[in-house]
Amino acid sequence: MARQLRAEQTRATIITAAADLFDRHGYESTSLSDIVEHARVTKGALYFHFAAKEDLAHAIMELQSQASRRVAGDIDDRGYPALEALMRLTFGLARLSVEGPIARAGLRLATGGVAVKPPLRHPFAEWLDLMNRRLVGAVKESDIHPDVDVDAVAHSLVCFFVGTRVVGRSREPAARLPRRMAEMWHVLIRGLVPVPRRPRYLTLAARLEREIMAG
């Protein structure tokens, strides 16, 4: 049991080290030797868990997917209105990027041409489904204009969400991301939400930003 625990801890250490390097330097610019040095493990330990750098990338993207689904599930369990759930989802995903390198590296891998191996879905396709379902619910609850093209809005929202993170990665620290999410929602709310319902969601965006910044 102790040996198994040590093996699991070593695997987690390697993944975290790889995620940190992939996030900071990119997949192509990071070698297995770099990961070994950064993780402070032997090459044998790395190869025991991962046969190739691609396997490490896939493990990081799988962890990102699990975290995204966990955030979405926790929000759904609380029974929020659909639009509030959608906003909380985007801020929850932003929190993951602020708190550690796995989500940041997963995004960089997804935008860097790294292949996603089935049965794992590409994160953008997964986010598109998560957002689409909540947008449909928001239309039914009259929190979004009834004549919107939900598929187009979902696609635009994913692009907006991903683009905000990609641009921010090279221009400002990850801690700035909650502010950018709030700015994103201030733009979207004014275009999607009927006037009488806007104050509630503008206030929510500001509150969710503060919650992340407060830790």
Side-chain angles (χ1 to χ4, degrees):
M1 184 64 69
R3 180 178 296 179
Q4 181 180 352
L5 179 60
R6 285 196 301 272
E8 291 173 354
Q9 291 171 338
T10 299
R11 186 177 189 276
T13 297
I14 293 168
I15 289 174
T16 301
D20 185 42
L21 292 178
F22 290 159
D23 171 48
R24 290 193 285 126
H25 305 301
Y27 178 78
E28 295 296 339
S29 298
T30 300
S31 69
L32 288 177
S33 295
D34 294 332
I35 296 168
V36 165
E37 181 178 356
H38 194 48
R40 297 182 179 180
V41 298
T42 65
K43 284 189 176 181
L46 186 147
Y47 283 116
F48 176 80
H49 294 283
F50 302 100
K53 187 169 69 169
E54 183 182 12
D55 296 329
L56 257 171
H58 190 263
I60 290 168
M61 295 177 78
E62 187 169 12
L63 286 173
Q64 175 190 246
S65 176
Q66 291 171 1
S68 297
R69 293 197 302 272
R70 185 165 56 250
V71 168
D74 289 345
I75 291 169
D76 287 345
D77 289 343
R78 296 178 181 270
Y80 296 113
L83 182 56
E84 179 172 349
L86 177 57
M87 293 177 66
R88 288 183 177 276
L89 173 62
T90 59
F91 277 94
L93 296 177
R95 183 190 290 274
L96 294 177
S97 290
V98 171
E99 291 178 343
I102 298 294
R104 297 195 301 270
L107 177 68
R108 184 153 190 178
L109 292 168
T111 56
V114 176
V116 178
K117 298 179 182 178
L120 185 66
R121 301 180 65 203
H122 195 284
F124 298 168
E126 191 166 64
W127 293 344
L128 191 61
D129 284 351
L130 290 172
M131 294 180 185
N132 191 295
R133 291 200 300 271
R134 287 156 181 80
L135 286 167
V136 169
V139 171
K140 292 179 180 178
E141 294 167 359
S142 300
D143 276 335
I144 289 180
H145 293 299
D147 59 346
V148 300
D149 183 331
V150 170
D151 290 337
V153 172
H155 182 270
S156 298
L157 179 54
V158 171
C159 292
F160 205 159
F161 176 71
V162 172
T164 296
R165 293 172 63 187
V166 170
V167 172
R169 182 175 63 212
S170 61
R171 295 179 57 85
E172 54 195 20
R176 183 69 173 168
L177 186 56
R179 172 90 287 257
R180 297 305 185 195
M181 286 293 103
E183 292 170 351
M184 178 188 83
W185 275 110
H186 275 248
V187 172
L188 291 171
I189 288 166
R190 286 177 169 83
L192 294 174
V193 179
V195 173
R197 299 183 181 229
R198 287 179 191 172
R200 174 190 176 187
Y201 290 107
L202 291 170
T203 300
L204 176 63
R207 187 170 79 245
L208 292 174
E209 177 198 353
R210 290 195 300 269
E211 287 176 1
I212 295 180
M213 298 303 292

